[in-house]
Amino acid sequence: RQTWGPINMLEQCEGSHAVAAAVALSRPEVICAYPISPQTHIVEGLGEMVKSGALTRCEFINVESEFAAMSVAIGASAAGARAYTATASQGLLFMAEAVYNASGLGLPIVMTVANRAIGAPINIWNDHTDSMSMRDAGWLQLFAETNQEAADLHIQAFRIAEELSLPVMVCMDGFILTHAYERMDMPEQAQVDRFLPPYEPRQVLDPNEPVTIGAMVGPEAFAEVRYLAHAKQMQALDLIPQVANEFRQVFGRDSGGLIKTYRLEDAETVVIALGSVLGTIKDTVDELREQGVKIGVLGITSFRPFPISDIRDATAHVKRIVVIEKCFAVGIGGIVSRDVRSAVRNRPQPVLTVVAGLGGRPITKASLTKLLNDAIADKLELLTFLDLDWGIVNRVLEREKQQRRSGPIAENILRDLGPSAAGA
């Protein structure tokens, strides 16, 4: 049985447990929760802490849906409470209307997104499709590479959200991080209190000074409202690294910020990615470096706001850019790479999009090594799907060409692959 509560400095623990402990150390006042894999262990742990008395002065509210979870968080934050929730995949889509409302109202809610694929067909494994679907919703989006960073980012997220009065998603890879056990260095309550002051809302509903929020705004002011939401995101480009620097001073480790680089100083090729895949990419780059290949890594922590200037400066000397992303926009291609291209516009460097790891497909060093060698040899197309089984794809396309009633694609693929695939 998992024992929930504050962690004593160094401890081997599950990623979800560490995030729950970090959120508890941040002294939330309202936690609203609806279970959906793979985030359930986080809110489950926080619920047990509230029930046992390990987390005091906090109301834990079980709701009937993800939409209700975000709606309760909006009400709590508007009333002046430090509010937190968590979700994943279809749960994030179900609360989409309220997600936009939270940012439109400028409420500093912190939410964990345990990244997971979106169906149909149903898939519970990790990719970044869910949070990417909300990339224009007005929330800050911070991506964690490790469980240590996931825990640290939550503490920073409350500070950033409340300073700007904007909501923040902390995105961590479902199962790969949420259910992985690692050695964690968790802070003490006094450290967090020193770093994260008590919540002082920039706006609050007060019965003595009644106002209406979220009411109708017509053409005479709506563009200005939306621009100011953008202006706050631009302010975050300065605040996020500032908060990361203060975090380092208090806790003694680097965590957060806008981007992070690895072996990039003399690199001719740079690989850009978000999330836990950065670990595998770094291992692959180390092996290529031993062979004399000049290659480095740039990890994006802040996807929203997007750090255009930092990426542009960090990649000024490279010959080519390879963006590995665990999502894509159907009908056009890369999502992250599109933003990277805007950062390096008017430069001759090719920006190559590699879609990988969809639905939890493993991204191996062997596949990455071949991919990166092809990129260095200028053999990659602008859009590549890593380890895509073209035999399956062509079989489906041929079937649809030959038969009008060709049937559902996913089920046909599983039938073609045989009982072992269908059983999985």
Side-chain angles (χ1 to χ4, degrees), residues 343-394:
V344 300
R345 63 193 179 280
N346 302 324
R347 284 186 183 166
Q349 303 152 315
V351 178
L352 308 172
T353 302
V354 179
V355 176
L358 297 185
R361 179 167 293 185
I363 302 174
T364 65
K365 286 197 297 181
S367 294
L368 287 175
T369 299
K370 182 180 183 306
L371 171 87
L372 295 175
N373 280 327
D374 286 346
I376 293 164
D378 296 324
K379 294 181 180 179
L380 276 191
E381 301 289 336
L382 287 178
L383 176 61
T384 300
F385 290 82
L386 186 67
D387 293 337
L388 188 70
D389 191 328
W390 286 104
I392 291 175
V393 170
N394 292 330

Side-chain angles (χ1 to χ4, degrees), residues 70-250:
M70 183 51 62
S71 298
V72 169
I74 288 171
S77 184
R82 181 172 284 166
Y84 169 82
T85 189
T87 193
S89 189
Q90 264 86 349
L92 181 58
L93 296 189
F94 191 27
M95 64 168 66
E97 179 183 353
V99 167
Y100 274 82
N101 287 341
S103 59
L105 294 171
L107 298 173
I109 299 162
V110 172
M111 175 168 64
T112 309
V113 176
N115 289 116
R116 173 187 144 185
I118 291 175
I122 294 173
N123 179 293
I124 66 167
W125 291 274
N126 166 252
D127 63 31
H128 293 161
T129 310
D130 51 2
S131 59
M132 289 294 169
S133 74
M134 295 290 113
R135 63 189 180 275
D136 300 325
W139 286 57
L140 305 187
Q141 289 193 8
L142 306 177
F143 278 77
E145 177 182 350
T146 65
N147 279 333
Q148 183 69 67
E149 191 169 39
D152 293 346
L153 283 173
H154 280 82
I155 299 170
Q156 295 178 55
F158 283 104
R159 174 83 176 273
I160 295 165
E162 291 166 12
E163 179 62 28
L164 293 172
S165 203
L166 276 182
V168 179
M169 292 183 197
V170 180
C171 305
M172 61 186 299
D173 288 345
F175 296 110
I176 297 172
L177 294 183
T178 58
H179 288 57
Y181 279 76
E182 299 177 11
R183 192 177 79 154
M184 302 288 296
D185 185 358
M186 293 297 293
E188 297 176 348
Q189 185 67 66
Q191 287 179 298
V192 178
D193 290 344
R194 176 183 164 196
F195 174 79
L196 179 63
Y199 177 32
E200 294 185 18
R202 288 183 175 270
Q203 56 174 322
V204 62
L205 291 175
D206 184 348
N208 295 320
E209 298 180 13
V211 296
T212 298
I213 64 171
M216 180 74 72
V217 173
E220 72 284 353
F222 192 78
E224 287 74 16
V225 170
R226 298 305 295 165
Y227 175 79
L228 288 168
H230 171 72
K232 282 193 175 186
Q233 293 253 343
M234 295 303 98
Q235 291 174 19
L237 289 172
D238 294 324
L239 182 62
I240 290 170
Q242 176 187 321
V243 169
N245 183 56
E246 293 182 29
F247 186 91
R248 179 174 59 253
Q249 294 175 15
V250 174

